[in-house]
Amino acid sequence: MTLQVDPARAALLLLDYQNYNVHPEGYWARAVPGSAERAAPAVARTAEVLAAARRTAITVMHVQNAWREGHPDVNPYTPWQAAAKEADRSTEGTWGIEFVEALSPVEGELVVRKRAVSGFAGTELERLLRVHDLSTLVIAGIVTNFAAEGTARDASDRGYRVIVLADCCESVTEEMHQFSITQILPAMAEVVNAADFIEWASAR
Amino acid sequence: MTLQVDPARAALLLLDYQNYNVHPEGYWARAVPGSAERAAPAVARTAEVLAAARRTAITVMHVQNAWREGHPDVNPYTPWQAAAKEADRSTEGTWGIEFVEALSPVEGELVVRKRAVSGFAGTELERLLRVHDLSTLVIAGIVTNFAAEGTARDASDRGYRVIVLADCCESVTEEMHQFSITQILPAMAEVVNAADFIEWASAR
Amino acid sequence: MTLQVDPARAALLLLDYQNYNVHPEGYWARAVPGSAERAAPAVARTAEVLAAARRTAITVMHVQNAWREGHPDVNPYTPWQAAAKEADRSTEGTWGIEFVEALSPVEGELVVRKRAVSGFAGTELERLLRVHDLSTLVIAGIVTNFAAEGTARDASDRGYRVIVLADCCESVTEEMHQFSITQILPAMAEVVNAADFIEWASAR
Amino acid sequence: MTLQVDPARAALLLLDYQNYNVHPEGYWARAVPGSAERAAPAVARTAEVLAAARRTAITVMHVQNAWREGHPDVNPYTPWQAAAKEADRSTEGTWGIEFVEALSPVEGELVVRKRAVSGFAGTELERLLRVHDLSTLVIAGIVTNFAAEGTARDASDRGYRVIVLADCCESVTEEMHQFSITQILPAMAEVVNAADFIEWASAR
């Protein structure tokens, strides 16, 4: 598939590529052995995409999940957030919430902090997109079914054009990843791969 | 499971139970033969839930999808919305967008119109919930993976307590329905059945 | 002042020019004798602006305030809304909420219904602006300090470029109108007059 | 006036009481000589209100304006924000954006960062209010016509009950302050004074 994107109107949006999610010594690597290895290829591909985006001067935004110390900002009725509080994980100021080194922001890239699944929920993302006049979101994130799909759903519902880089997302199991990629995302997004983005960037 | 809900703080939210979705002569029944029959049990169970809700005086809200004539309000980059425009379906003022008879609003129940998947996207839902001081959403809707799950995701992200009535939702296939019910919704909601809600209502 | 606006990215937004607000037989004309006469010049100028906008093919949106029968959608803690409920005024389906004839929408123009002051509050306005890729709002509305200023504040805060047509707005007193125009709006908007807009439109 | 507030459902919201706004060595004190002295009584009264709130265990939230280094997060079309960028003021990590000492947050109080006028614009405020089940906002902030009134307008429009502590707000001139307090805020809020809040808190 040949991508057609106006770089002046698009953002590459990287979601939740943080130590607690994908680093071999992060929370999930310890809680679910094998998960960091499982995510590693997506991290590597996303690093290539990020390098291509930087060469193209497309806007890059990094979305980071973190809660305040003591978790006063979780939804106590949302099981995954209540569990994070119970585990006392992923709080501001800790190593776990930092972006994994291969996908760290550089100067001039925007970092958006969130407390929930979608990058839009209770964040300044929509305002920043408006201020920078961006209407297309190119999404890479982990895990596929939550941060990536959740943000894609939200963006589509709000009126954005959404492009998902399928192989720059990963999930808990291959079945879960494929469900999102094949059953849900095609209804609301263009679903392509890292190579498509890199090809587009290289042709510019 | 025994539900614990404060009826003064909760809304029963019915999503997209409209003729075009579930009536035997509606759009999807014609486009996908068998789909109305597939949805019929969920409609019947939801009718029982609605009757129980009315006896309990819990707030009932009906969410309805519809576009303006000519579809100037679809997201042209969202495939399912672009397809709706192409098919010229589900526009305001037509029979298709009316609620299916068994789940029609009665006087005093609030109807919210939407143009996208989530009941919150570009609607007055959040303001109405605030004005009526409601913090818990009991969700029944079709299809499971889109209107129901999409609204549950959004509500959880915004800080609400979410209860999904699993057997008051239905999807295109049993696999799709089960994926949402077992793999996604338990992370963000309490997943129960019509019988649990009716038992709770009866005990009041 | 010479306006510079990209017509493909701008909307003319007319707010609350409805019978109950500005018609000689409307609610406010009866409640506050002289108010319809006071608003008439702004209505006339806005009609000229609207005609110019239509010749230019700039997007036109009409924002209309109305509540459901029985006013279940007012904020009961907001005095002006509680008073509207008390007076049982401005409900859906009544003559009062219709746009005044000189500023009636024509086919193809978008109408947005609201329940509060700002055109963004609990409405689909932001989603429609996104779907039509509009980033500049040209505002005319009544009264200056509420619907017009409230929408201008909200739009500026959300990241839009805002242009207010000062003499296409009017308020309860000249002092109130001037306060908004000279003390508040210049901080968040370009404040021009109908003639500036018409000159811009004519030059296209 | 005797306030009736349920402390479990209310937040005291302090807005923009930061060094750059009210400290004698802050940005505005230098730009507009006399402005820190002008604000001092409101700061002192707000400190008494804050002490009373802490004794009552009502939720306290502090809203802080700040931009990223280089101001990539201002609305370039909003004059007051463009001017802040031009002056290179009020960026994250500087002394100017810290809360003035008399109104500094203590452990357990929530701080919300904003980039615009209203405390709701592109922030997590609404989600935090929902998560903590708060429906009433008691507002103190500087300046009256912008952060305080802007947040009061937004909160009323979104469905909250709003209480403004008039003498815990201050503006650029007495005329501007009084306009907001007498002409605008009574339409959307209960307007009381510090003494009313302290009396309410003391009676608990």
Side-chain angles (χ1 to χ4, degrees):
Chain A
M1 181 185 293
T2 302
L3 269 186
Q4 307 276 355
V5 181
D6 177 353
R9 305 295 311 281
L12 174 65
L13 198 64
L14 308 186
L15 294 126
D16 295 15
Y17 272 118
Q18 299 163 256
N19 288 326
Y20 83 82
N21 259 333
V22 294
H23 192 283
E25 289 161 35
Y27 177 83
W28 285 109
R30 281 177 284 119
V32 183
S35 63
E37 291 75 10
R38 182 169 177 73
V43 173
R45 278 186 294 264
T46 305
E48 291 176 45
V49 161
L50 179 56
R54 285 169 179 164
R55 288 192 300 269
T56 318
I58 192 179
T59 299
V60 176
M61 294 188 180
H62 303 260
V63 179
Q64 179 181 46
N65 197 63
W67 293 282
R68 290 169 180 82
E69 181 73 32
H71 293 78
D73 42 10
V74 296
N75 179 343
Y77 295 109
T78 288
W80 78 269
Q81 292 183 35
K85 178 175 182 162
E86 182 74 20
D88 194 24
R89 72 167 174 88
S90 309
T91 53
E92 296 184 342
T94 63
W95 170 85
I97 69 146
E98 287 172 25
F99 293 104
V100 70
E101 198 176 357
L103 299 175
S104 282
V106 296
E107 205 184 315
E109 291 175 349
L110 293 160
V111 175
V112 173
R113 188 152 292 180
K114 71 177 170 76
R115 321 291 185 185
V117 173
S118 164
F120 288 92
T123 75
E124 59 179 315
L125 179 57
E126 182 139 50
R127 183 178 172 279
L128 285 174
L129 293 169
R130 160 59 50 222
V131 159
H132 290 268
D133 201 26
L134 306 172
S135 57
T136 297
L137 295 186
V138 182
I139 291 177
I142 195 151
V143 301
T144 319
N145 310 76
F146 292 98
E149 180 186 316
T151 304
R153 284 174 176 261
D154 214 338
S156 161
D157 268 10
R158 288 167 192 250
Y160 293 89
R161 177 183 174 200
V162 183
I163 298 168
V164 174
L165 304 180
D167 59 358
C168 294
C169 303
E170 190 49 275
S171 192
V172 184
T173 65
E174 179 64 13
E175 180 217 5
M176 286 189 75
H177 176 73
Q178 286 303 329
F179 188 88
S180 187
I181 296 299
T182 64
Q183 307 283 88
I184 302 294
L185 288 168
M188 62 195 66
E190 295 154 71
V191 182
V192 302
N193 283 313
D196 300 296
F197 183 86
I198 292 166
E199 182 193 323
W200 166 79
S202 303
R204 300 199 54 81
Chain B
M1 179 185 293
T2 302
L3 268 187
Q4 306 276 355
V5 182
D6 177 352
R9 305 294 310 281
L12 173 65
L13 197 63
L14 308 186
L15 294 125
D16 295 15
Y17 273 118
Q18 299 163 256
N19 289 326
Y20 83 81
N21 259 333
V22 293
H23 191 283
E25 288 161 37
Y27 177 82
W28 285 109
R30 282 176 283 120
V32 183
S35 62
E37 291 74 11
R38 182 168 177 75
V43 173
R45 278 186 295 264
T46 304
E48 291 176 44
V49 161
L50 179 56
R54 285 169 179 165
R55 287 192 300 269
T56 319
I58 192 179
T59 299
V60 176
M61 293 187 181
H62 304 261
V63 179
Q64 178 181 48
N65 196 64
W67 293 283
R68 290 169 180 81
E69 181 72 31
H71 294 78
D73 41 11
V74 296
N75 179 343
Y77 296 108
T78 287
W80 78 269
Q81 292 183 36
K85 178 175 181 160
E86 182 74 20
D88 194 24
R89 72 167 174 88
S90 309
T91 52
E92 297 184 341
T94 63
W95 170 85
I97 69 147
E98 288 172 24
F99 293 105
V100 69
E101 198 177 357
L103 299 174
S104 281
V106 295
E107 206 184 316
E109 292 174 349
L110 292 161
V111 175
V112 173
R113 188 153 291 180
K114 71 177 170 74
R115 321 290 185 185
V117 173
S118 163
F120 288 92
T123 74
E124 59 179 316
L125 179 57
E126 182 139 50
R127 183 177 172 281
L128 285 174
L129 293 169
R130 161 56 53 220
V131 160
H132 289 269
D133 201 26
L134 305 172
S135 57
T136 298
L137 295 187
V138 182
I139 291 178
I142 195 151
V143 301
T144 318
N145 310 75
F146 292 97
E149 181 186 316
T151 303
R153 284 174 177 260
D154 213 338
S156 161
D157 269 10
R158 288 167 191 249
Y160 294 88
R161 176 183 174 201
V162 183
I163 298 167
V164 174
L165 304 180
D167 59 358
C168 294
C169 302
E170 190 50 274
S171 191
V172 184
T173 65
E174 179 64 13
E175 179 218 5
M176 286 190 75
H177 176 72
Q178 286 302 330
F179 187 88
S180 187
I181 296 299
T182 64
Q183 306 284 89
I184 302 295
L185 288 168
M188 62 196 66
E190 296 155 72
V191 181
V192 302
N193 283 313
D196 300 296
F197 182 87
I198 292 166
E199 182 193 322
W200 166 79
S202 303
R204 300 201 55 82
Chain C
M1 180 184 291
T2 302
L3 270 186
Q4 307 276 356
V5 181
D6 177 353
R9 303 296 309 281
L12 173 65
L13 198 64
L14 307 185
L15 294 124
D16 296 15
Y17 272 119
Q18 300 163 255
N19 289 326
Y20 83 81
N21 260 333
V22 293
H23 192 282
E25 288 160 37
Y27 177 82
W28 286 109
R30 282 177 282 121
V32 183
S35 61
E37 291 73 12
R38 183 169 175 73
V43 173
R45 279 187 292 265
T46 305
E48 290 176 44
V49 161
L50 179 57
R54 284 170 179 164
R55 287 192 300 270
T56 319
I58 193 179
T59 299
V60 176
M61 295 187 180
H62 304 260
V63 179
Q64 180 181 46
N65 197 64
W67 294 283
R68 291 170 179 82
E69 181 73 31
H71 295 76
D73 41 11
V74 296
N75 179 343
Y77 296 108
T78 288
W80 78 268
Q81 292 182 35
K85 178 175 181 162
E86 183 73 20
D88 194 24
R89 71 168 175 86
S90 309
T91 52
E92 297 184 342
T94 63
W95 169 85
I97 69 147
E98 288 173 24
F99 293 104
V100 69
E101 197 176 358
L103 299 174
S104 282
V106 295
E107 206 185 315
E109 292 175 348
L110 293 160
V111 175
V112 173
R113 188 153 291 181
K114 71 178 170 73
R115 321 289 185 185
V117 174
S118 164
F120 288 93
T123 74
E124 60 180 316
L125 179 58
E126 182 140 49
R127 183 178 172 279
L128 284 175
L129 293 170
R130 161 57 50 222
V131 159
H132 289 268
D133 200 26
L134 305 172
S135 56
T136 297
L137 296 187
V138 182
I139 291 178
I142 195 150
V143 300
T144 319
N145 310 76
F146 291 98
E149 180 186 316
T151 303
R153 284 174 177 260
D154 213 338
S156 162
D157 268 10
R158 289 168 190 249
Y160 294 88
R161 176 183 173 200
V162 182
I163 298 167
V164 175
L165 305 180
D167 60 357
C168 294
C169 302
E170 191 48 274
S171 191
V172 184
T173 64
E174 179 63 13
E175 180 217 4
M176 287 190 74
H177 176 72
Q178 286 303 329
F179 188 88
S180 186
I181 297 298
T182 64
Q183 306 283 89
I184 303 293
L185 288 168
M188 62 195 66
E190 296 154 72
V191 182
V192 301
N193 282 313
D196 300 296
F197 182 86
I198 292 167
E199 182 193 323
W200 166 79
S202 303
R204 301 199 55 79
Chain D
M1 179 185 294
T2 302
L3 269 186
Q4 307 277 355
V5 181
D6 177 354
R9 303 296 310 281
L12 173 65
L13 198 64
L14 308 185
L15 293 125
D16 295 15
Y17 272 118
Q18 300 164 257
N19 289 327
Y20 83 82
N21 259 333
V22 293
H23 191 282
E25 289 162 36
Y27 177 82
W28 285 108
R30 282 178 282 120
V32 182
S35 62
E37 291 74 11
R38 182 169 176 74
V43 173
R45 278 186 294 264
T46 305
E48 291 176 44
V49 161
L50 179 56
R54 284 169 179 164
R55 288 192 300 270
T56 320
I58 192 179
T59 299
V60 175
M61 295 188 180
H62 303 260
V63 179
Q64 179 181 46
N65 196 63
W67 294 282
R68 291 169 179 83
E69 181 72 31
H71 295 77
D73 41 12
V74 297
N75 180 343
Y77 295 108
T78 288
W80 77 270
Q81 293 183 34
K85 178 175 181 162
E86 182 73 19
D88 194 25
R89 71 169 175 87
S90 309
T91 53
E92 297 184 342
T94 63
W95 170 85
I97 69 147
E98 287 173 24
F99 292 104
V100 69
E101 198 176 357
L103 299 175
S104 282
V106 296
E107 205 184 315
E109 292 174 349
L110 293 160
V111 175
V112 173
R113 189 152 290 180
K114 71 177 169 76
R115 321 290 184 185
V117 174
S118 164
F120 288 93
T123 75
E124 59 179 317
L125 179 57
E126 181 139 49
R127 182 178 173 279
L128 285 175
L129 293 169
R130 160 59 50 223
V131 159
H132 289 268
D133 200 25
L134 306 172
S135 56
T136 296
L137 295 187
V138 182
I139 291 178
I142 195 150
V143 301
T144 319
N145 311 75
F146 291 98
E149 180 185 316
T151 303
R153 284 175 177 261
D154 213 338
S156 162
D157 269 10
R158 289 167 191 250
Y160 293 88
R161 176 182 174 200
V162 182
I163 298 167
V164 175
L165 304 180
D167 59 358
C168 294
C169 302
E170 191 48 274
S171 191
V172 184
T173 65
E174 179 64 11
E175 179 217 5
M176 285 190 76
H177 176 73
Q178 286 302 330
F179 187 88
S180 188
I181 296 299
T182 64
Q183 306 284 88
I184 303 294
L185 288 168
M188 62 196 64
E190 296 154 71
V191 182
V192 302
N193 283 312
D196 301 297
F197 183 87
I198 292 166
E199 182 193 323
W200 166 80
S202 303
R204 301 198 55 81

